[in-house]
Amino acid sequence: MADDLLVLGGRSFSSRLIMGTGGATGLEVLERALVASGTELTTVAMRRVDPSVHGSVLSVLERLGIEVLPNTAGCFTAGEAVLTARLAREALGTDLVKLEVIADERTLLPDPIELLEAAETLVDDGFTVLPYTNDDPVLARKLEEVGCAAVMPLGSPIGSGLGIRNPHNFRLIVEHARVPVILDAGAGTASDVALAMELGCAGVMLASAVTRARDPERMASAMRAGVEAGRLARLAGRIPPRYFAEASSPVEGRAVLDPERPAF
Amino acid sequence: MSSPRTSDVLVIGGGIIGLVTAWRAAQRGFGTAVVDPAPGGGAAQVAAGMLAAVTELHHGEQTLLGLNLASARRYPEFAAELTELTGHDLGYRRCGTLAVALDSDDRAHLRELHALQQQSGLESEWLSGRECRRLEPLLAPGVRGGLRVDGDHQIDPRRLTAALVAACERAGVVFHRVRAERLSVAGGRATGVVTPDGTALAAGQVVLAGGSLSGRLAGVPQDVLPPVRPVKGQVLRLTVPPRYAPFLNRTVRAVVRGSQVYLVPRENGELVVGATSEELGWDTTVTAGGVYELLRDAHELVPGITELPLTETRAGLRPGSPDNAPLLGPTELAGLLLATGHYRNGVLLTPVTGDAMAHALATGELPDEARPFTPRRFGAAALSEQPA
């Protein structure tokens, strides 16, 4: 799959797994997990890390040659998110930003109105904007229209591990999007990310599922395999689901009882 | 002026009210002295310095509104005069105020205030939540609406106090850096004060401007003692680092589930967050609960404050009076005048208080705009309400 690249704002990545660092119990454990995940792009909360301080998670990423994706975690308003993104760009010299504007601390769900406004401002300001969004096809479309380089819908709330609660919306989002769709938040285990990729996501972003697993390094390997498996399955093209069995060896003269593709 | 221990006018208390009174008195040619162990202290060291005649309007306080507005109108000239005289920058900022509502209850409350402002002929504009956030993008997305009052300005009370001390010094005011132990009364007339070491400071007229302490000066006859009580306010100071500037462009305030919170941004990056209102006597401790409630409410209003350094926590005592209005001018005791009880409006009322007190010292009468604030309005009534 050397030629099957994830392209975000003109940058190409051979890994489709974007990692987060939140929840890691220590830098060593995190480093092993990042290596195992094969990630080439990892997000860091700019409000919790000072790029000028040596020895932080940013040093780990630098050592591993992983590109930093600054995020605006903890912002409740478009104004704060824009300010945080600009400070990150200044500090890290990257125009990439994972845009998060949350509505409240209890659900950590995105505030769609603030998000859209911040996205528009940042795109105008020359950022490559990757917005963390609700699994809302309309909002995803609007984010794409204002110039976001990808849309990153949540499968379920951040850190919940509840997987993709509304696969139908993901299908709608993927169907309409002309930018990469990346599952952001909600993955709990390898099958969740495989499902995301089978649904047509271009990548998966996760943190807690790995950093809070009993064995983060092994879970990172599982996630990597899950992403690759799902991607391959998507590209290979799954068989249409059927109500009744169909023998793998042909049975001559068998009637086709239901030619319509059943609802998935 | 005669000897340092004798003056025409002796002002007890060197907070902003005492200082402005002394300054204006000295300007009128009175030999003036101030007695205070630490002039330039007092509640103004804690106060935020909102000049909020319009957004602080309350039902039943229309008389006070008149005085507040009169003082607000004098502020530009007052500040310019002080700055010219002393070279001090007062941080006077005509940035206006935005009072917002975060839920439907607070919105209804603000609507009522708007109606009252309009009945009173005041300038204030109702804005939708969206319009509020266009003015102040860091306001919480939940803002339901607000009042824009461009006429409510701000000043830095610490710088104002320092300038008043300097102005007094230039005008020849003598500072006795001791506590006034008791008022001296002779022949039915106030004649000065006695300090703790027994020194007598004599004066033709005495002005009691001791803030919340005014109500407990020894030697003042019971029926003249001002009904002033301390009302504690805890106030926080945050700093807006240059990379976050301007953060807020004007004073932002709200009633959050019934409690008042305001954020006053200074041009030098200081952001004042206040204030609690507690009736706890002379207690000035800063409590975990006070700081928590202020930060909680301020965070609900402007979530981004969590990123700012918290540089100071402090509590002060407002001099509260029974009707929330000041007590100004002559009392029933000849030679004793009051300038106290300014409660939440001391900084706002500083210019008009200085003018009214100088007028009263010179003529024995209050000027028209200050007449309703004579201490005599409490005289007998206050006495009869005193518990046995």
Side-chain angles (χ1 to χ4, degrees):
Chain A
M1 297 228 296
D3 55 345
D4 180 34
L5 301 174
L6 170 64
V7 179
L8 294 172
R11 292 169 175 76
S12 299
F13 303 92
S14 52
S15 164
R16 292 179 176 272
L17 182 55
I18 304 172
M19 291 293 292
T21 55
T25 53
L27 291 183
E28 265 182 33
V29 179
L30 178 67
E31 180 164 348
R32 285 199 299 274
L34 290 174
V35 170
S37 75
T39 186
E40 295 164 2
L41 182 63
T42 292
T43 187
V44 174
M46 289 319 290
R47 282 190 159 189
R48 291 164 206 152
V49 176
D50 180 347
S52 66
V53 174
H54 194 73
S56 73
V57 63
L58 290 174
S59 308
V60 174
L61 297 181
E62 193 182 351
R63 188 165 59 245
L64 298 178
I66 296 172
E67 180 153 3
V68 180
L69 172 58
N71 71 52
T72 62
C75 293
F76 292 86
T77 62
E80 285 169 81
V82 168
L83 191 55
T84 305
R86 285 179 180 155
L87 292 174
R89 177 166 67 180
E90 209 170 288
L92 297 173
T94 176
D95 65 349
L96 279 176
V97 63
K98 179 177 172 241
L99 180 61
E100 298 185 35
V101 190
I102 56 169
D104 66 79
E105 277 166 333
R106 203 170 150 70
T107 66
L108 299 178
L109 290 172
D111 183 321
I113 295 160
E114 295 299 301
L115 180 70
L116 191 61
E117 191 187 321
E120 202 166 358
T121 306
L122 289 172
V123 168
D124 284 350
D125 201 8
F127 281 89
T128 297
V129 181
L130 313 176
Y132 160 62
T133 171
N134 305 71
D135 59 354
D136 173 355
V138 178
L139 179 58
R141 195 170 66 225
K142 289 186 185 259
L143 287 164
E144 183 182 336
E145 282 166 3
V146 300
C148 291
V151 288
M152 304 181 68
L154 56 85
S156 49
I158 293 174
S160 70
L162 290 171
I164 297 176
R165 304 309 292 175
N166 194 341
H168 181 63
N169 272 13
F170 267 74
R171 215 175 270 122
L172 285 175
I173 293 170
V174 166
E175 196 172 311
H176 289 285
R178 283 177 300 269
V179 293
V181 177
I182 296 169
L183 170 68
D184 184 1
T189 187
S191 55
D192 295 331
V193 305
L195 173 62
M197 299 307 288
E198 288 167 13
L199 288 170
C201 286
V204 167
M205 148 85 221
L206 56 85
S208 304
V210 164
T211 59
R212 296 188 212 271
R214 278 203 296 274
D215 183 344
E217 187 179 3
R218 190 173 292 192
M219 186 56 91
S221 301
M223 291 301 186
R224 177 184 195 161
V227 168
E228 284 170 7
R231 178 67 181 172
L232 285 169
R234 171 75 182 187
L235 293 178
R238 63 154 299 146
I239 59 164
R242 297 171 52 93
Y243 283 137
F244 298 107
E246 184 180 31
S248 20
S249 311
V251 178
E252 294 298 321
R254 183 183 177 279
V256 176
L257 297 176
D258 184 2
E260 293 298 308
R261 197 167 103 174
F264 187 73
Chain B
M1 201 190 312
S2 40
S3 90
R5 288 191 183 169
T6 305
S7 50
D8 300 329
V9 172
L10 178 64
V11 179
I12 305 171
I16 42 169
I17 296 299
L19 290 170
V20 77
T21 300
W23 177 45
R24 291 304 197 195
Q27 281 182 324
R28 291 231 181 182
F30 289 108
T32 306
V34 170
V35 54
D36 189 313
Q45 291 302 305
V46 182
M50 287 184 293
L51 308 176
V54 177
T55 42
E56 286 266 341
L57 177 62
H58 296 284
H59 277 285
E61 293 186 2
Q62 278 87 340
T63 313
L64 178 58
L65 171 68
L67 192 69
N68 286 345
L69 289 172
S71 207
R73 276 193 299 271
R74 288 177 205 188
Y75 240 104
E77 209 176 312
F78 172 79
E81 184 186 351
L82 257 183
T83 297
E84 198 184 315
L85 207 63
T86 63
H88 287 234
D89 171 16
L90 309 181
Y92 180 51
R93 197 175 174 192
R94 302 181 206 206
C95 55
T97 296
L98 185 63
V100 302
L102 288 170
D103 63 26
S104 50
D105 292 346
D106 295 337
R107 189 176 184 277
H109 173 87
L110 209 54
R111 276 286 191 194
E112 201 177 79
L113 174 64
H114 188 221
L116 180 61
Q117 288 167 338
Q118 289 189 314
Q119 282 163 30
S120 310
L122 302 172
E123 274 185 41
S124 84
E125 184 190 358
W126 182 264
L127 301 182
S128 70
R130 206 172 271 233
E131 288 167 327
C132 290
R133 299 196 63 237
R134 213 167 289 144
L135 286 180
E136 294 298 340
L138 293 187
L139 275 174
V143 166
R144 300 288 175 86
L147 286 173
R148 176 180 179 166
V149 180
D150 288 341
D152 277 359
H153 303 152
Q154 59 146 308
I155 198 159
D156 184 340
R158 290 178 179 172
R159 291 197 258 174
L160 171 62
T161 309
L164 282 170
V165 170
C168 281
E169 281 167 349
R170 278 167 181 269
V173 172
V174 174
F175 285 102
H176 300 290
R177 293 171 196 274
V178 289
R179 192 163 56 81
E181 178 89 356
R182 65 183 294 116
L183 185 75
S184 308
V185 179
R189 189 179 170 83
T191 57
V193 302
V194 180
T195 66
D197 68 359
T199 307
L201 303 174
Q205 299 188 78
V206 179
V207 178
L208 177 51
S212 56
L213 288 161
S214 304
R216 64 173 202 185
L217 179 67
V220 180
Q222 262 311 314
D223 57 340
V224 177
L225 205 61
V228 171
R229 69 188 195 286
V231 181
K232 176 181 169 184
Q234 300 189 47
V235 174
L236 315 177
R237 280 175 165 79
L238 285 68
T239 304
V240 177
R243 66 182 187 280
Y244 289 133
F247 203 75
L248 294 176
N249 303 298
R250 54 179 59 66
T251 296
V252 169
R253 55 186 303 162
V255 177
V256 182
R257 287 178 304 272
S259 59
Q260 289 269 359
V261 65
Y262 52 75
L263 292 91
V264 183
R266 304 228 195 280
E267 263 156 0
N268 64 6
E270 183 177 78
L271 181 67
V272 186
V273 177
T276 65
S277 190
E278 305 162 72
E279 305 262 358
L280 294 172
W282 307 97
D283 171 50
T284 53
T285 49
V286 173
T287 62
V291 175
Y292 165 71
E293 283 171 25
L294 287 173
L295 288 177
R296 180 196 62 197
D297 294 348
H299 174 250
E300 202 158 315
L301 192 57
V302 181
I305 62 152
T306 49
E307 297 306 297
L308 305 181
L310 173 61
T311 38
E312 192 186 313
T313 59
R314 198 157 163 187
L317 299 172
R318 309 175 185 92
S321 73
D323 59 1
N324 300 338
L327 291 85
L328 303 174
T331 63
E332 296 299 336
L333 179 65
L336 179 69
L337 294 85
L338 297 183
T340 186
H342 290 70
Y343 192 39
R344 301 171 62 95
N345 295 313
V347 178
L348 170 61
L349 289 174
T350 294
V352 80
T353 298
D355 295 345
M357 293 308 294
H359 188 275
L361 286 163
T363 67
E365 300 214 338
L366 284 168
D368 286 346
E369 74 271 13
R371 209 154 280 167
F373 305 97
T374 170
R376 293 175 175 132
R377 72 186 188 276
F378 294 117
L383 204 62
S384 65
E385 281 166 17
Q386 298 265 328

